[in-house]
Amino acid sequence: QVQLVESGGGVVQPGRSLRLSCGASGFTFSNYGMHWVRQAPGKGLEWVAVIWSDGSNKYYVDSVKGRFTISRDSSKNTLYLQMNSLRAEDTAVYYCARARGQWLVGHLDYWGQGTLVTVSS
Amino acid sequence: QSVLTQPPSVSGAPGQRVTISCTGSSSNIGAGYDVHWYQQLPGTAPKLLIYGNSNRPSGVPDRFSGSKSDTSASLAITGLQAEDEADYYCQSYDSSLSGYVFGTGTKVTVL
């Protein structure tokens, strides 16, 4: 069965960096695009970034462009999110999710359990 | 601030039918991009409920159905059950933002 397990969350000071990981199992990781989605405490879902199956394309929400980098290591079946220059408004549970369908009409069919990132001094 | 607007809450008695609207614009739903729906039970990760406007993944009860028209989409739940109490989100692509967008979310309460 498809399993996605995020790790790397924690408390970090504003301006510092953090790297999240998402370990994938139960499917051929290299065949699928992957997303990061976040949810601030008590708020709705916000799409953060996507990386295509071969890593050739990456897209980001405007609020994280230039600060966050999505990447993947298919030899390790792992997705990453490098988060730099963190701000208080980045505080959220971060979910990784598997992409399905073509980019413009696609959806997210499996989600991890999430990892909490708290940006606070 | 999301570009897909949903009602903050809807409620119904067990067995009733409720609908959740997702209103977009010409740069997302109105442009023809598919709408998908997710269910988030309290304290858990979102789960795919409807994809491609009206398709149910394996294991999703046929009590859940989706539709799309012009610049909006709807999720209907018939035969409402206590286990349906959750937050529901629509999702699509937005060409102005060049990325995915989620709706504002709707909390369903079973009376």
Side-chain angles (χ1 to χ4, degrees):
Chain A
Q1 71 284 17
V2 173
Q3 197 167 10
L4 299 169
V5 180
E6 300 93 338
S7 60
V11 180
V12 60
Q13 293 180 329
R16 302 298 290 262
S17 299
L18 203 61
R19 189 179 81 158
L20 305 182
S21 299
C22 169
S25 61
F27 65 101
T28 304
F29 181 69
S30 59
N31 287 349
Y32 292 85
M34 296 293 296
H35 295 268
W36 286 100
V37 176
R38 66 185 179 183
Q39 185 170 35
K43 302 297 184 182
L45 301 173
E46 180 182 38
W47 174 79
V48 174
V50 64
I51 185 169
W52 288 23
S53 59
D54 60 0
S56 59
N57 285 287
K58 306 172 186 180
Y59 299 101
Y60 302 88
V61 68
D62 283 348
S63 59
V64 309
K65 283 180 183 175
R67 300 189 300 123
F68 289 12
T69 302
I70 189 171
S71 63
R72 62 192 298 157
D73 185 340
S74 290
S75 69
K76 297 181 178 179
N77 288 345
T78 303
L79 174 73
Y80 301 100
L81 185 67
Q82 177 67 44
M83 304 185 295
N84 299 330
S85 303
L86 282 161
R87 305 167 181 168
E89 54 265 35
D90 296 318
T91 294
V93 173
Y94 285 73
Y95 297 100
C96 65
R98 191 175 78 168
R100 286 307 303 271
Q102 302 276 341
W103 164 232
L104 298 183
V105 295
H107 57 278
L108 292 69
D109 66 347
Y110 287 94
W111 299 61
Q113 86 289 348
T115 187
L116 176 62
V117 173
T118 302
V119 183
S120 173
S121 55
Chain B
Q1 187 171 350
S2 177
V3 298
L4 301 180
T5 302
Q6 300 177 229
S9 64
V10 299
S11 61
Q16 284 191 330
R17 179 180 187 268
V18 297
T19 61
I20 301 170
S21 60
C22 174
T23 303
S25 67
S26 58
S27 63
N28 42 68
I29 300 174
Y33 299 117
D34 283 355
V35 178
H36 320 287
W37 292 90
Y38 303 87
Q39 177 192 58
Q40 187 174 32
L41 297 170
T44 70
K47 167 194 166 186
L48 178 66
L49 197 64
I50 297 286
Y51 68 95
N53 306 315
S54 59
N55 301 291
R56 284 186 308 277
S58 173
V60 173
D62 58 7
R63 302 185 292 103
F64 295 92
S65 62
S67 63
K68 174 189 157 185
S69 178
D70 297 327
T71 58
S72 66
S74 291
L75 174 71
I77 310 173
T78 57
L80 195 64
Q81 299 182 5
E83 67 212 48
D84 299 333
E85 272 207 349
D87 293 323
Y88 294 82
Y89 295 90
C90 58
Q91 174 250 312
S92 186
Y93 175 83
D94 189 281
S95 57
S96 295
L97 300 174
S98 299
Y100 283 6
V101 288
F102 285 94
T104 49
T106 299
K107 182 176 182 60
V108 170
T109 300
V110 181
L111 301 173

